[in-house]
Amino acid sequence: HINYIETGTITFTNSESETVTFSEAYSRTPVATLTSKTEDVNAYISSISATAMTVMLSQKITATVDYHIFGLE
């Protein structure tokens, strides 16, 4: 059961790693999805916890990545 959805955009400026702190701490580790708005780069979650996630790119680049966080009960 999903009890909270959070969305946002991560801006990478000549980098390959960024950390996002969630707007609230979840009681369980949430589920997340990523969508790169830049062609020719892969975005993936290297770590995720109840309070934050670190997103990596397949190369150092200036790009944006949209994310959706789904808090679960």
Side-chain angles (χ1 to χ4, degrees), residues 15-30:
S15 65
E16 60 188 354
S17 175
E18 296 292 336
T19 299
V20 175
T21 301
F22 303 140
S23 62
E24 68 174 64
Y26 296 96
S27 58
R28 293 176 32 189
T29 301

Side-chain angles (χ1 to χ4, degrees), residues 37-68:
K37 297 174 109 180
T38 305
E39 293 182 24
D40 301 327
V41 67
N42 293 317
Y44 60 94
I45 299 166
S46 64
S47 67
I48 189 167
S49 69
T51 59
M53 72 175 168
T54 300
V55 177
M56 302 285 294
L57 298 180
S58 56
Q59 60 184 322
K60 187 181 273 191
I61 193 171
T62 297
T64 56
V65 174
D66 290 336
Y67 65 87
H68 290 82

